[in-house]
Amino acid sequence: MRWIGLCIAVLAQGALAFTDAQVRAIASHGPWPPAFTADPSNRVSGDAGAIELGERLFFERRLSVNGEFSCSRCHQPERNWTDGEARALGLSRVDRNTPSLSNVRLQRWYGWDGANDSLWAQSIRPILDARELGMGAQQVAKLVRGDTDLSCRYKKVFGALPAEDEKLLVDIAKALAAFQETLASGRTAFDEFRDALVRTDPAGIEKYPQAAKRGLSIFVGKGSCNVCHVGPAFTNGEFHDTGIPFFIEPGRVDPGRHEGIKKLRASRFNLLGPYSDDPKRTTATSTRHVVLEHRNFGEFRTPSLRNLALTAPYMHNGRLATLRDVVNHYSTISPDRLHSDGEAILKALKLSERETQDLVAFLESLQDGGGSYRRKGFAENCIP
Amino acid sequence: MKRWLCWLALLAPAAQACELPGGAAQRVESRKHTVLYRTVPLRVGEHFTLEFAVCPAPEAVRVDAWMPVHRHGMNYKAIVTALGGERYRAEGLMFHMAGQWEFVFELRAGGATERLAHGVRIE
């Protein structure tokens, strides 16, 4: 009944008339921000000492084999934790676009192919990847054991330094994860509109720009973008073939999710493995039940749309330079570009110029004020 | 009189005797089987468990779901546990997209497999 009254309220102001179903869909994209819940698989999730250690490690250049790169080389705070490159550049060029770390704790799968099922496992991957930071467990362990400040902080968070290098590496990744869990985007113009809609506040509804409202109407209506970009984070966290060519270079393809599931199953760092701190493996449901199918080839993870305007270029390989390019991609997509045995989800939206501008205006309204992260000075030393 | 009652009992569909304790349930029927199932409120992108009963109990049960219009199934395989009698629990299901889904109960009995489908809409 409240929804009906709400629609009448919207109509009375001469604004767009959302259907009841669209209003429910819009409401489902909030509230924002979601409450923090600790990761049961990471015993230092939410721990202040671990967050501080993780933040130091995130900007620590000695965590790369040449001592020149840190995680922040590709995950730059001022670019919403991306790098502006089409394909990331570590020690060498990698195959995919750098995904944002904003709201990363809300994900089920990590990486474009979901090859990891926890933030801490995903944090190990670039450390060991020869194209990115190029380290080994032994080198990471040597760094921590040999540095007075890092080893002091490690002991405060985890206890005595372990004898096994790999166990120390996993703990370092868990501290990195604890820090990254704090990277959350703030409230946006859309959130203010959504909340005004839910509490039936005509003045609040009116503040949201008309172009963004029209774009939102396409998002939850004609465009059906919310079929995959669902919920407060605007993602279902799963994988789709969006018609972006997966050739990396002549003769070499990116298999996407198909290879990701294989890597996940083979990883001793997955949530079913020995390094999860959750004895009941309550967070391992997805890992336990995930299936590998031929259609997974060329599928990539649905990204969140929050702060999207700060993360250009777009798609798994950075192929599209602007938000307008992304909208045009879905507006003109040909079914011939999609797997014949894959999902039958996408069809060309055939948007007009104004509809394209409106949809971009809506996507831009998902941007927060920015600048919520302030890097610490790290002046003080650890006192044992 | 007793003989007539006995015949009536044999002729009655299995549905009449089928129960899923714990409240209202969805019902799917065929000539051979009745399936009663109940889920918690379903949300896109969240794993859920399906409690169900199959009457009469088949030799083997599988549960799956798919989106007929989109031509794809779930990204996860449900694991079915027999709870005794005619009751079962399927774990690990997830509807990863909004829209029209269909549960499929695959029942194997007497050397034949029967598939019972039932639609469910997810917003």
Side-chain angles (χ1 to χ4, degrees):
Chain A
M1 192 63 190
R2 187 175 184 183
W3 299 118
I4 296 170
L6 185 59
C7 286
I8 291 168
V10 174
L11 278 166
Q13 295 171 73
L16 277 171
F18 293 107
T19 66
D20 286 357
Q22 287 175 333
V23 172
R24 287 196 298 274
I26 294 165
S28 75
H29 290 297
W32 191 264
F36 176 81
T37 51
D39 174 4
S41 75
N42 180 358
R43 65 191 183 285
V44 300
S45 171
D47 178 271
I51 293 168
E52 184 169 349
L53 173 59
E55 184 171 10
R56 286 171 181 264
L57 291 164
F58 191 87
F59 295 99
E60 175 58 73
R61 292 183 177 191
R62 291 176 295 166
L63 212 51
S64 64
V65 71
N66 64 1
E68 293 181 14
F69 305 145
S70 67
C71 307
S72 65
R73 174 182 173 91
C74 296
H75 296 289
Q76 300 166 16
E78 61 277 14
R79 291 182 182 268
N80 195 34
W81 306 99
T82 60
D83 55 9
E85 300 272 349
R87 287 161 49 194
L89 179 63
L91 290 165
S92 61
R93 184 75 64 186
V94 303
D95 297 334
R96 297 176 183 155
N97 183 253
T98 300
S100 173
L101 300 180
S102 188
N103 310 312
V104 70
R105 72 175 177 85
L106 301 175
Q107 293 179 200
R108 178 184 312 114
W109 300 112
Y110 294 86
W112 284 103
D113 60 4
N116 286 296
D117 54 4
S118 73
L119 184 50
W120 55 266
Q122 177 66 10
S123 300
I124 294 172
R125 194 201 58 73
I127 295 174
L128 301 184
D129 193 320
R131 301 166 302 171
E132 298 186 47
L133 300 180
M135 295 282 271
Q138 189 180 14
Q139 291 160 293
V140 173
K142 185 179 177 185
L143 168 67
V144 176
R145 289 192 185 109
D147 184 274
T148 307
D149 190 71
L150 287 178
S151 60
C152 169
R153 291 182 191 281
Y154 178 94
K155 289 172 190 169
K156 281 190 164 185
V157 173
F158 294 100
L161 286 157
E164 305 88 354
D165 292 345
E166 185 168 279
K167 186 173 186 316
L168 204 158
L169 170 69
V170 171
D171 285 344
I172 289 303
K174 286 178 178 174
L176 280 164
F179 165 62
Q180 292 168 85
E181 285 173 346
T182 67
L183 307 179
S185 64
R187 285 181 61 79
T188 68
F190 166 79
D191 295 314
E192 298 301 333
F193 170 73
R194 178 264 175 203
D195 290 359
L197 203 58
V198 168
R199 66 173 184 268
T200 321
D201 171 9
I205 292 169
E206 188 60 28
K207 286 180 185 171
Y208 195 48
Q210 287 297 317
K213 280 180 192 158
R214 290 193 300 268
L216 174 57
S217 179
I218 295 168
F219 189 86
V220 299
K222 171 182 178 179
S224 296
C225 312
N226 63 330
V227 169
C228 297
H229 292 285
V230 300
F234 290 87
T235 173
N236 64 358
E238 293 292 321
F239 304 82
H240 300 280
D241 174 8
T242 56
I244 296 292
F246 39 81
F247 280 96
I248 300 165
E249 57 198 14
R252 200 161 70 89
V253 299
D254 187 337
R257 182 59 171 158
H258 197 270
E259 190 66 20
I261 294 175
K262 289 180 182 175
K263 285 180 180 173
L264 169 80
R265 287 175 171 170
S267 173
R268 61 187 177 280
F269 302 122
N270 74 33
L271 288 174
L272 295 170
Y275 290 111
S276 171
D277 296 326
D278 176 10
K280 293 183 178 175
R281 301 294 189 265
T282 54
T283 56
T285 304
S286 296
T287 309
R288 192 177 293 118
H289 291 269
V290 70
V291 289
L292 177 65
E293 296 183 351
H294 180 67
R295 71 173 166 86
N296 297 131
F297 202 93
E299 290 183 341
F300 296 90
R301 187 170 52 79
T302 307
S304 170
L305 301 182
R306 287 190 175 268
N307 274 350
L308 187 68
L310 299 172
T311 65
Y314 301 102
M315 315 311 271
H316 75 272
N317 55 7
R319 184 182 175 93
L320 303 178
T322 67
L323 276 181
R324 186 183 173 86
D325 291 341
V326 175
V327 171
N328 283 338
H329 169 73
Y330 290 111
S331 186
T332 60
I333 192 168
S334 165
D336 296 339
R337 288 192 223 161
L338 305 170
H339 269 185
S340 57
D341 61 346
E343 307 166 320
I345 299 173
L346 295 175
K347 59 181 180 183
L349 297 179
K350 298 179 180 174
L351 302 175
S352 68
E353 173 57 28
R354 181 170 132 157
E355 286 174 323
T356 299
Q357 290 175 10
D358 291 343
L359 193 47
V360 170
F362 163 66
L363 294 171
E364 287 174 342
S365 80
L366 298 175
Q367 187 175 334
D368 67 10
S372 60
Y373 173 75
R374 294 284 181 273
R375 185 179 168 184
K376 290 190 180 131
F378 302 142
E380 72 283 11
N381 291 322
C382 177
I383 301 167
Chain B
M1 185 63 181
K2 280 184 179 176
R3 179 179 288 177
W4 280 111
L5 285 173
C6 192
W7 275 111
L8 283 171
L10 286 172
L11 290 169
Q16 289 182 7
C18 207
E19 288 184 349
L20 183 63
Q26 299 290 329
R27 177 183 289 266
V28 198
E29 289 179 308
S30 71
R31 286 182 61 201
K32 292 180 182 175
H33 293 99
T34 295
V35 174
L36 298 177
Y37 75 87
R38 185 185 307 120
T39 66
V40 294
L42 300 173
R43 291 169 61 101
V44 175
E46 291 185 5
H47 284 290
F48 63 93
T49 296
L50 192 71
E51 302 277 351
F52 65 103
V54 185
C55 312
E59 294 152 19
V61 181
R62 284 180 58 194
V63 176
D64 205 345
W66 74 307
M67 297 189 88
V69 174
H70 291 174
R71 290 193 333 229
H72 67 74
M74 295 186 296
N75 291 337
Y76 302 91
K77 182 179 181 181
I79 297 174
V80 177
T81 305
L83 302 177
E86 295 166 327
R87 295 185 59 195
Y88 303 85
R89 179 188 300 125
E91 295 174 295
L93 298 101
M94 182 197 288
F95 294 147
H96 62 277
M97 297 172 74
Q100 188 66 32
W101 285 81
E102 205 170 85
F103 281 121
V104 179
F105 298 89
E106 195 174 287
L107 314 172
R108 182 151 186 85
T113 300
E114 183 178 34
R115 290 179 181 82
L116 269 65
H118 196 250
V120 55
R121 181 146 195 94
I122 308 298
E123 285 195 353

